[in-house]
Amino acid sequence: MNNFIFKNPTKIIFGKDTEHSVGNETKIFSNKILLHYGGGSIKRSGLYDRVKKSLDEAGIEVFELSGVLPNPRLSLVQKGIRICRDNGINFILAVGGGSVIDSSKTIAAGVPYKGNVWDFFSGKAAPTESLPVGVVLTIPAAGSESSNSAVITNEDGWFKKGLTNDHLYPVFAIMNPELTFTLPDYQTICGASDIMAHIMERYFTNTKDVEFTDRLCEATLKTIIDNVPRALKNPADYAARAEIMWAGTIAHNNLLSTGRVGDWGSHAIEHELSAIYDIAHGAGLAIVFPAWMKYVYKHDIKRFAQFAHRVWNVEYNVFNIEETALKGISALESYYASIGLPVRLSQANIDEAHLEEMADKCTGSGTYTVGNFMKLDREDVFNIYKLAL
Ligand code: NZQ
Ligand code: ZN
């Protein structure tokens, strides 16, 4: 196990009716805020009215910016920065999913910065301060509610890039599983795929002696695997929704990374898919992850066999651990298909047209590699896209 520092500063307020506390939680930081949200799901569900009422009762002045798209865009971030600067706003409240939260985090980091906020994503600069961000979460998926990352798409060239910086942790996250009852099945399964990917990115490591975090990863994966079909069968199953929501946060708040080096190659490979084709991040991951596994499993067959046995209950064949490892990859793929996720590019109507371009963008035209479990160069990335066709 490696040395580590673990500090996750996000206050989690979890459970039924917790959105009513948003006014009081926000007031601790500000009485003039930007309320940032997406395309209208919070209005249809009635959440918007409840949040607004709580903010009004706390005497908070509210400016609004809606219209965040899945795969959130830089242009709206820049609009948000202008609104905050023009009105002396010093707090952003994100009500929605990963896209709304990431857009909020980027506005918050951009307001005090003199240059172009895209500098943070291109690597030209790093945030040294940020406005505080609060969250009311409506979809368990990205884990952004207590992560130190944001992912933004620059429409100028369709670059989707991530930024990781400790100033990006939200100050609080209100998580009421009831708010996820209205999720369309497709969003529930894409969220599940993203959560599982966050765990597997951490699980496939070269770090030795990480038994405890291995076991935490396996338990978190099994919780998602068991509860997603329950939520699909009965969208208002509070118990199932609560398990998925909390597991989704734990999957990405860095607890599962403690003492180990994660991979993150599949995320880098997927981001090029959702940048060019604007597909849901979770759908892209369901396609990329099994292909990545088939490409790299020989690097550590034992780890893949452990994954197969402990997560998917595959019988451990000591005489043929490769067979055990491959059965685990098949089990993952079958599970994705069984809940309705695409597992091939063709199922998302994606053909060979942009594979070369995506492999270039993913590796800076071959100037750097992605992933840590196995370092993948441009050719490797291209081969993984081909395996996923
Ligand atoms: O826009 P609205 O109308 O709100 O609809 C949203 C959106 O269409 C809808 N939705 C959300 N909650 C709902 C609901 N519909 C009905 N009822 C509800 N309760 O769901 C759609 C998807 O929302 P989105 O925020 O895009 O989903 P998600 O949370 O999966 O976020 C995806 C984004 O997060 C990034 C992804 O790359 C992608 O851009 N990620 C961010 C990370 C981070 N910051 O740490 C890590 C992840 O790996 C990921 O890359
Ligand atoms: Zn993800």
Side-chain angles (χ1 to χ4, degrees):
M1 195 191 299
N2 297 341
N3 290 4
F4 66 87
I5 295 172
F6 177 68
K7 181 182 177 190
N8 189 296
T10 306
K11 176 180 176 182
I12 304 289
I13 302 147
F14 191 98
K16 291 180 182 171
D17 299 326
T18 43
E19 66 271 22
H20 298 297
S21 65
V22 67
N24 286 337
E25 292 296 333
T26 301
K27 207 177 175 175
I28 297 168
F29 299 93
S30 173
N31 55 17
K32 196 194 250 193
I33 70 162
L34 182 71
L35 170 60
H36 200 31
Y37 57 96
S41 73
I42 67 163
K43 289 214 164 154
R44 288 190 296 278
S45 69
L47 174 61
Y48 172 88
D49 293 331
R50 298 200 293 285
V51 167
K52 205 62 202 314
K53 183 165 178 277
S54 178
L55 294 169
D56 287 346
E57 283 170 0
I60 293 165
E61 188 181 355
V62 178
F63 291 76
E64 285 189 28
L65 180 61
S66 63
V68 180
L69 296 173
N71 300 320
R73 310 294 203 266
L74 181 62
S75 55
L76 194 71
V77 166
Q78 276 160 341
K79 189 172 174 189
I81 293 172
R82 281 196 299 277
I83 294 173
C84 291
R85 285 185 185 152
D86 290 350
N87 297 286
I89 292 166
N90 57 6
F91 184 93
I92 320 290
L93 180 65
V95 183
S99 297
V100 172
I101 303 167
D102 287 0
S103 187
S104 300
K105 288 175 171 178
T106 311
I107 293 170
V111 171
Y113 179 60
K114 301 264 183 299
N116 183 340
V117 72
W118 186 250
D119 293 350
F120 298 148
F121 295 84
S122 64
K124 206 170 143 192
T128 53
E129 56 182 321
S130 167
L131 303 183
V133 173
V135 172
V136 179
L137 185 67
T138 62
I139 170 171
S144 185
E145 66 276 7
S146 75
S147 84
N148 56 350
S149 306
V151 186
I152 293 293
T153 297
N154 185 343
E155 302 97 314
D156 184 7
W158 297 104
F159 289 98
K160 183 173 178 180
K161 295 251 177 243
L163 161 68
T164 297
N165 181 285
D166 282 357
H167 293 288
L168 300 190
Y169 283 112
V171 289
F172 66 76
I174 293 175
M175 298 170 48
N176 176 357
E178 292 170 311
L179 301 179
T180 69
F181 291 176
T182 54
L183 279 172
D185 286 354
Y186 188 67
Q187 295 301 339
T188 297
I189 60 175
C190 287
S193 163
D194 196 15
I195 294 168
M196 291 173 70
H198 294 160
I199 305 164
M200 295 187 295
E201 296 278 21
R202 291 171 166 94
Y203 191 79
F204 291 99
T205 181
N206 297 318
T207 315
K208 300 289 173 217
D209 301 322
V210 286
E211 180 69 19
F212 175 57
T213 40
D214 270 2
R215 297 284 187 183
L216 290 179
C217 287
E218 289 154 5
T220 316
L221 273 172
K222 283 166 97 81
T223 303
I224 296 297
I225 293 164
D226 287 352
N227 282 286
V228 167
R230 286 182 198 141
L232 291 174
K233 197 164 163 209
N234 174 12
D237 182 334
Y238 181 85
R241 293 291 194 183
E243 299 291 351
I244 297 168
M245 200 175 212
W246 186 221
T249 301
I250 294 297
H252 201 46
N253 77 348
N254 280 335
L255 174 68
L256 304 185
S257 317
T258 46
R260 56 200 289 147
V261 176
D263 182 63
W264 299 103
S266 297
H267 264 70
I269 295 169
E270 191 295 311
H271 281 166
E272 301 310 329
L273 276 181
S274 42
I276 290 192
Y277 293 100
D278 201 22
I279 64 170
H281 172 60
L285 285 166
I287 296 166
V288 167
F289 232 112
W292 174 86
M293 288 181 164
K294 288 171 204 164
Y295 197 75
V296 306
Y297 78 93
K298 286 189 177 150
H299 176 70
D300 187 349
I301 293 181
K302 274 194 175 160
R303 179 151 283 277
F304 273 91
Q306 175 182 301
F307 170 73
H309 179 62
R310 291 193 191 163
V311 178
W312 299 104
N313 305 319
V314 173
E315 197 182 331
Y316 200 103
N317 183 349
V318 284
F319 303 106
N320 192 347
I321 58 169
E322 181 166 8
E323 182 195 86
T324 310
L326 287 170
K327 280 186 180 169
I329 300 171
S330 295
L332 172 72
E333 209 168 46
S334 305
Y335 177 78
Y336 283 160
S338 75
I339 59 173
L341 282 163
V343 289
R344 291 287 183 279
L345 289 169
S346 52
Q347 291 166 353
N349 298 319
I350 296 173
D351 61 17
E352 290 186 72
H354 292 285
L355 301 193
E356 300 273 6
E357 179 189 345
M358 291 192 293
D360 274 338
K361 278 178 148 177
C362 188
T363 58
S365 300
T367 56
Y368 50 81
T369 59
V370 296
N372 292 307
F373 182 69
M374 253 182 79
K375 304 263 183 218
L376 303 171
D377 64 17
R378 189 203 169 282
E379 249 1 80
D380 295 321
V381 171
F382 179 71
N383 288 337
I384 290 171
Y385 285 131
K386 288 212 38 142
L387 260 181
L389 275 170

